[in-house]
Amino acid sequence: MSNDPKRAAVLGAIRSGLGRGERSADARAELAQRLAKPTANLLPAAVAKLKRDETVELFVEKAEQVNCTVRRVASADEVPAAVSDYLREHNLPPDVILAPSPSLRTMPWDKEKMLQRREGVPGNDDLVSVTPAFAGVAETGTLVMASGPEHPATLNFLPDHHIVALTASQVHRVYEEAFAAWRKANKKRGRKFEMPRNLNLITGPSRTGDIALKIELGAHGPRSLHILLIEDEQPKK
């Protein structure tokens, strides 16, 4: 049972609609055990034997297949220049909104003298957002975005262009490994397992095929998703 009365009321209404009552003590204990010590699934044969460098290469391949663009940079210090390059290449104004993330704040943005930037929640006039990602999933070329004070979820969806800084070490073979990394990060911060308000799994820019079965990008979010992949690992031989 939730300790939050409002949340408990919502969950109670859902249970009532499903014709279910409260879970028994044994059922709650079983669920708590499964959350505390999740059992890993079998890995698909296509990714089970991938080495680290192969995992990253697969991520790039899959991301490009779903209309992402990917640029590989040698270090995080190269991200601001790469952002400026993207703006020039797409004839966009030198103006971006950044996630208020420590990982972005440590980058040398001041070297880009013409680049105007601010942090926070995007408005209707913001064309380009820059955010980190919690993880990447090689199997599908998916980005895992965890919302919070350091990453407002609207940065992922409102601007037309979304630029994402992701390190090679954050790329995992499958979703289960990305979720395990979230549990590990929580444990490192001294917390029990907890989910963010939103955990968005983003595979390519927004698209729809509702009209005449023709794919259109930017229907419900960014029309462009550009990944800056930071090479923070040496490929294993």
Side-chain angles (χ1 to χ4, degrees):
M1 188 70 176
S2 172
N3 292 325
D4 183 341
K6 293 182 179 179
R7 186 168 183 267
V10 171
L11 294 177
I14 294 173
R15 280 192 296 270
S16 177
L18 294 173
R20 290 173 46 183
E22 285 283 348
R23 288 181 178 271
S24 66
D26 289 344
R28 291 197 298 270
E30 180 183 356
L31 179 58
Q33 176 67 14
R34 290 179 63 185
L35 288 172
K37 295 183 178 180
T39 302
N41 293 327
L42 293 175
L43 289 178
V47 299
K49 296 183 179 180
L50 290 181
K51 298 178 181 178
R52 281 298 308 152
D53 55 325
E54 294 171 334
T55 298
V56 174
E57 292 293 342
L58 179 62
F59 172 78
V60 172
E61 176 186 340
K62 292 294 186 180
E64 291 177 340
Q65 285 178 2
V66 292
N67 297 110
C68 293
T69 54
V70 182
R71 175 174 173 178
R72 304 177 82 151
V73 296
S75 71
D77 286 348
E78 295 185 13
V79 167
V83 169
S84 293
D85 289 344
Y86 178 88
L87 299 179
R88 285 191 292 269
E89 291 166 3
H90 291 79
N91 295 317
L92 292 166
D95 188 3
V96 298
I97 181 164
L98 304 175
S101 166
S103 66
L104 295 184
R105 286 174 176 167
T106 58
M107 296 174 182
W109 296 98
D110 290 340
K111 290 185 178 181
E112 299 304 307
K113 302 301 182 182
M114 301 298 294
L115 185 62
Q116 301 295 315
R117 66 190 190 277
R118 67 181 181 85
E119 294 182 349
V121 177
N124 292 332
D125 295 330
D126 287 304
L127 294 177
V128 183
S129 64
V130 182
T131 75
F134 176 74
V137 179
E139 186 180 16
T140 54
T142 298
L143 294 166
V144 180
M145 303 289 199
S147 69
E150 298 173 357
H151 189 152
T154 47
L155 290 170
N156 304 334
F157 303 111
L158 190 56
D160 275 353
H161 300 263
H162 187 190
I163 301 176
V164 178
L166 176 74
T167 63
S169 61
Q170 291 175 296
V171 177
H172 303 278
R173 293 175 294 180
V174 293
Y175 291 99
E176 288 85 353
E177 290 180 344
F179 297 147
W182 180 263
R183 291 186 177 92
K184 184 177 180 180
N186 268 296
K187 186 175 181 180
K188 188 175 181 180
R189 291 190 291 263
R191 304 175 184 174
K192 295 181 179 180
F193 176 69
E194 58 184 52
M195 292 292 289
R197 185 172 184 178
N198 291 303
L199 190 67
N200 299 119
L201 307 179
I202 299 175
T203 308
S206 173
R207 72 196 67 205
T208 184
D210 291 345
I211 302 175
L213 299 181
K214 181 181 178 181
I215 296 297
E216 294 288 344
L217 298 181
H220 313 292
R223 67 184 65 190
S224 174
L225 181 55
H226 185 55
I227 302 171
L228 299 176
L229 186 60
I230 302 166
E231 307 282 5
D232 65 335
E233 290 187 327
Q234 292 296 323
K236 294 183 179 179
K237 299 180 179 179

